[in-house]
Every structure is written in structure tokens, then in C-alpha cells.
Amino acid sequence: MKESIFLKACRRQKSPVTPVWLMRQAGRYMKDYRAIREKTPFLEICKNKDLVTEITVTAQAKIKADAAIIFADILLILESFGLGLDYLKGDGPAVARPIRAGGDVQNLPEVNPAESLGFVLDAIRQTRSALPKNIPLIGFAGAPFTIASYMIEGGASKDFRETKKRMLSDEPLWNLLMEKIVRATVLYLNEQIRAGADALQLFDSWVGCLSPEEYRRFVLPHTKKLIEGVNGGAPLIHFGTGTGKFLDLLRDAGGDVIGVDHRIGLGEAWKKIGYDRAVQGNLDPNILATGSLEEIRREVKRILAEAEGRAGHIFNLGHGVLRQTPVENAIAVVEMVHEFSGKS
Ligand code: 1CP
């Protein structure tokens, strides 16, 4: 495991080729997953460690990624908070009792993830032992802003109007909500390391809807506290989208690796982040979904050139694999990254 090129890149150590994995590599673009999903509701899959193991291991083996990510969801923790969670066919997640009033925040319980999310921890233990010994397993959680946005909006959102309204209109209440999410997530991620996760990713998928000033004031202190609380020795990837304008602040909040989306060049992004951190990214998922192999090849070469052969680049998409992506393209991109980054 020490020789894993993914873990080496997390620590900014040199490796013979650039490591690559894909966010959402086990999702709906894969027919193996769709076959399971046709028979079983999403939440039931997440709570069945045999299915989770099968899906996680199959996806890694199929595309030959340099890491596996445990099959779960950032929103599972909403159930632990007692908000109720369902996944509607095709429509994405729905929160049964979203936060509507101040009292809803005050009444959120303290979460004990060792119990309420024990099924994820069991799945990590089993998946870790089923994976090849040299393939690291990534555990993950949602970052406080992104989790708060689902708690408040009740599901997917485009403009995050309610979230911003509450954030801007009642700062003490916002801070209380963020603190509750941070406490639960610190416990959850530390339990994931104890269960066998070799690395972690913190998904702040929607934080790019904020201005740098808003991020600095309303999010950074909380995410920083969260990352400082995770102390099991596993490297942490801190990912967001739309964050090109405040990558320096994302870096200040913490993380051994900073995830970069496709709306900024990797070279420019790494310069802003600083070369004392590793970076992950940043192929546009649309290109993987609809581009020709020639276009994908060109983009892979461009991104590798922007990384300038520096140690500490993990190749990935700028966001998750789109469900329209041909699985052949996912297999091909992993091969390309290894081929073009190899020093012959
Ligand atoms: O109906 C189905 O089959 C469910 C589709 C699905 C899947 C396969 C959902 C619902 N979640 C997942 C798995 C998942 N989610 C994984 C493991 C799979 C893998 O990566 O191999 C991971 C890492 C996530 C993380 C996740 N869930 C994020 C962060 C990543 C990102 O894309 O930004 C987010 C925002 C979610 C919320 C969520 N869960 C599911 C959906 C459709 C969504 C997005 C909803 C929205 O657009 O707001």
C-alpha cells in the first residue's frame, strides 16, 4: 500500500505515472450498477454491505482506477440528523423535513455516526478487505456548506436562494447549524479511517455559488475546524466546484490535496493554491461523456502538460462522471493518463 501511486501523489511524492480515479466512478453510467439499481432502491443498496462491496470493487476493477471510492452518499448523514431522506426515481434526493425555522436548527440532535452510520463503516471494513491490497479505498463526506444547503433547500437546487437567505439574515443561527454539521462530520470521518479508509474526500460541491468574501466569513472557519478535527493520518482531498475565484481560501481551510473543477486551467489553479499542496483534477465530465477519443486524448495531454510533471497531481474529472458517459471512455481515459504521463 505504501507504494500506491495515488497515496504517493497525495503526499507529493514522485511516482512513475500520474494516478487517476474518477469521481462517481461507480454511478449510473455503469451497466453493472444499473442492473443492481433496477431491483433495489438506492438507500437499500447503501445499507447492504455486500452490494456496496460489489459495486465499489467492480467499478475500480473495470476502469482500472488507481483508487476506489466507497459506494455511499454525502446525504446519508441527513437521516442521522432525523430529517428524513428518500431518493426518487430520476429526480434525485428529497429531504422529508427540511429546516424551515430557527427551532429546527436548535432541535437537531447530536449525531453518533458510529451507530447511525454504522452500515457505511461496516461496508468500508468489508470493501477494504475485498479490494486488491495495493488499491487505496477513499472514504468521504459532504462539507458543511453543501450539507447545510440540502438541509435547507430540501433537495437539489440551482440558485441556493433559501440557503443564502438564512446564511445572510441570521449569522448566529447559521453558525450553530454549521457547528452541528462539523461535529457530526469529524466523528464520521474519523470512524471511516478507523474502519479502513486509506484517504478521505470532503465534497463541497456547491460552495462555488458564494463570493470569496462570503466563503471567508460564513464557511472557511467551519470547514477549517472540520479538517483540523480529522486526525487519523489519512490524506484528505478538499473538493469544490466553481471555486476558481477563491482556491486560496479553500486551501487555507485545509486539505492535503485540493480538488479543482474544469472551469479553470489546472496550471493557473495550482499556482493559486501553491506548490506545497497536491491537486486533483480537472477534465470536463462533458468531454468524457460526449467527446471523441481524439478530443479526450488532446485534453488529457493538455492537463498533464499544465501539471508540468510536478509530483502531487492526481488526475480526475472536474466533477462527477455524467450518466451518459460510455464506459469505454472511462476505461480509455485511465489508460491515456498512464500512457502519456509515463516517462519513457
Ligand atoms: O438513483 C440512483 O441510482 C442514485 C444516484 C446516486 C448515486 C449512484 C446518488 C444520488 N448518489 C450516488 C452515489 C454517490 N454519491 C457516490 C459514490 C459513487 C462513486 O463516486 O463511485 C458519491 C461519492 C456521491 C457523492 C455525492 N452525492 C455528492 C458529491 C459529488 C458531486 O457529484 O458533487 C453529491 C452532491 C451528492 C448528492 C446526490 N446524491 C444523489 C444525487 C443524484 C445527488 C445530486 C443531487 C443534486 O444535483 O443536487
Side-chain angles (χ1 to χ4, degrees):
M1 184 60 80
K2 272 200 189 130
E3 293 308 304
S4 148
I5 59 174
F6 165 80
L7 291 176
K8 279 188 164 174
C10 289
R11 297 188 294 256
R12 291 186 299 113
Q13 293 168 351
K14 280 207 178 328
S15 65
V17 297
T18 300
V20 49
W21 67 283
L22 306 179
M23 288 183 275
R24 301 286 196 111
Q25 67 191 21
R28 279 188 280 191
Y29 77 106
M30 220 172 239
K31 76 170 186 327
D32 313 66
Y33 171 70
R34 284 199 308 271
I36 293 172
R37 180 69 175 87
E38 261 166 37
K39 288 184 241 137
T40 316
F42 178 70
L43 271 177
E44 269 182 48
I45 299 177
C46 292
K47 292 177 181 178
N48 179 326
K49 64 177 187 242
D50 294 334
L51 291 178
V52 169
T53 303
E54 183 186 333
I55 292 170
T56 306
V57 171
T58 305
Q60 184 277 326
K62 185 151 228 161
I63 68 169
K64 299 197 171 68
D66 295 306
I69 181 160
I70 190 71
F71 190 87
D73 197 77
I74 62 166
L75 301 180
L76 297 175
I77 203 162
L78 268 61
E79 266 198 335
S80 304
F81 276 111
L83 298 181
L85 178 65
D86 204 355
Y87 293 85
L88 314 169
K89 268 250 145 66
D91 295 332
V95 182
R97 293 172 293 282
I99 288 170
R100 289 283 177 254
D104 297 342
V105 175
Q106 268 124 20
N107 290 336
L108 284 175
E110 288 299 317
V111 170
N112 178 4
E115 274 174 27
S116 60
L117 291 158
F119 59 92
V120 176
L121 306 172
D122 287 341
I124 288 176
R125 270 184 283 271
Q126 179 168 305
T127 305
R128 179 55 276 165
S129 59
L131 275 171
K133 289 216 166 22
N134 59 342
I135 297 296
L137 179 60
I138 304 170
F140 68 91
F145 176 81
T146 292
I147 293 299
S149 81
Y150 282 102
M151 287 178 160
I152 294 168
E153 307 287 341
S157 174
K158 282 209 173 73
D159 49 22
F160 302 93
R161 194 161 44 229
E162 286 297 315
T163 308
K164 284 191 191 178
K165 189 177 94 188
R166 282 166 196 282
M167 182 183 89
L168 296 169
S169 66
D170 192 341
E171 195 167 353
L173 193 67
W174 173 260
N175 285 335
L176 179 64
L177 174 60
M178 296 293 270
E179 282 159 18
K180 289 193 174 209
I181 298 169
V182 166
R183 275 202 295 279
T185 309
V186 165
L187 294 172
Y188 185 34
L189 288 174
N190 282 324
E191 288 292 340
Q192 291 190 31
I193 299 173
R194 277 161 48 96
D198 303 290
L200 299 171
Q201 178 151 326
L202 191 61
F203 284 97
D204 215 347
S205 301
W206 311 129
V207 77
C209 73
L210 300 181
S211 72
E213 230 6 81
E214 287 169 335
Y215 183 84
R216 190 199 305 275
R217 176 161 174 182
F218 297 102
V219 180
L220 194 157
H222 302 289
T223 301
K224 188 163 193 273
K225 198 161 179 197
L226 191 164
I227 294 174
E228 282 170 359
V230 179
N231 45 28
L236 186 139
I237 305 162
H238 183 189
F239 166 80
T241 72
T243 53
K245 55 198 178 285
F246 53 76
L247 280 167
D248 52 335
L249 300 178
L250 218 71
R251 172 207 63 207
D252 289 348
D256 304 283
V257 185
I258 305 299
V260 176
D261 83 354
H262 46 282
R263 296 168 184 90
I264 182 171
L266 191 82
E268 185 191 347
W270 208 344
K271 197 167 165 206
K272 279 192 178 172
I273 291 163
Y275 302 122
D276 58 344
R277 302 293 176 100
V279 293
Q280 175 174 281
N282 70 343
L283 177 66
D284 186 339
N286 287 290
I287 292 176
L288 193 70
T290 62
S292 64
L293 286 179
E294 196 42 56
E295 283 170 293
I296 297 171
R297 201 171 287 126
R298 203 166 52 226
E299 280 299 291
V300 168
K301 284 186 174 166
R302 182 186 60 73
I303 291 165
L304 289 173
E306 291 203 31
E308 296 177 334
R310 215 175 276 114
H313 175 217
I314 298 160
F315 197 101
N316 205 315
L317 303 181
H319 204 172
V321 180
L322 296 171
R323 77 165 101 164
Q324 300 82 0
T325 306
V327 73
E328 298 73 33
N329 289 6
I331 295 169
V333 77
V334 172
E335 281 175 3
M336 287 176 194
V337 171
H338 289 161
E339 181 188 343
F340 302 145
S341 65
K343 293 152 198 75
S344 47

